């Protein structure tokens, strides 16, 4: 319906407005980091039709999975003030558990 795309643009606009107000650099997500990065990149390149975000637009879609979104994005979100210390602690615990599992 386009609501999700509009919400993604609003989220990025809000984060970057807050960053600008604090004289900090903008949050820019790349095509290999998040579907929002694909969306923004596509829109900046220009589109000729009403834009819809399809996973097929993302060349890194095998990496952009929901099961690893926290590993890819939580630290970036924490840096811009969208994630609190408790969530960071949970991420660090998950990372430690994954590392332990890999060593077995």
């Amino acid at each position: 319906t386009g609501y999700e795309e509009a919400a993604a643009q609003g989220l990025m606009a809000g984060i970057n407005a807050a960053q600008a107000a604090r004289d900090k650099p903008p949050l820019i997500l790349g095509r290999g980091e998040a579907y929002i990065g694909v969306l923004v990149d596509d829109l900046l390149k220009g589109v000729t039709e009403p834009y819809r975000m399809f996973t097929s637009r993302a060349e890194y879609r095998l990496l952009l999975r929901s099961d690893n979104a926290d590993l890819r994005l939580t630290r970036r979100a924490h840096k811009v003030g969208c994630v609190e210390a408790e969530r960071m602690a949970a991420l660090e615990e998950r990372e430690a558990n994954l590392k332990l599992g890999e060593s077995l």
Side-chain angles (χ1 to χ4, degrees), residues 30-38 53 55 58-69 72-73:
R31 296 181 73 88
E33 293 177 281
Y35 281 113
I36 290 177
V38 175
M53 179 63 234
T55 56
E59 56 271 50
Y60 300 102
R61 62 186 162 272
L62 296 178
L63 302 175
L64 302 179
R65 304 183 320 267
S66 60
D67 69 320
N68 69 6
R72 289 183 286 110
L73 300 170

Side-chain angles (χ1 to χ4, degrees), residues 5 8-10 12-13 16 27-31 34-47 51 53:
E5 289 83 358
Q9 291 176 66
M12 293 303 294
N16 286 325
L27 173 65
I28 299 172
L29 298 173
R31 296 181 73 88
Y35 281 113
I36 290 177
V38 175
L39 178 144
V40 171
D41 187 57
D42 286 350
L43 292 175
L44 290 173
K45 289 178 180 174
V47 293
Y51 185 84
M53 179 63 234

Side-chain angles (χ1 to χ4, degrees), residues 52-84:
R52 291 304 311 270
M53 179 63 234
F54 297 110
T55 56
S56 60
R57 294 184 190 269
E59 56 271 50
Y60 300 102
R61 62 186 162 272
L62 296 178
L63 302 175
L64 302 179
R65 304 183 320 267
S66 60
D67 69 320
N68 69 6
D70 58 337
L71 299 172
R72 289 183 286 110
L73 300 170
T74 301
R75 290 189 190 289
R76 302 280 310 272
H78 183 261
K79 187 174 180 181
V80 297
C82 292
V83 169
E84 295 182 355

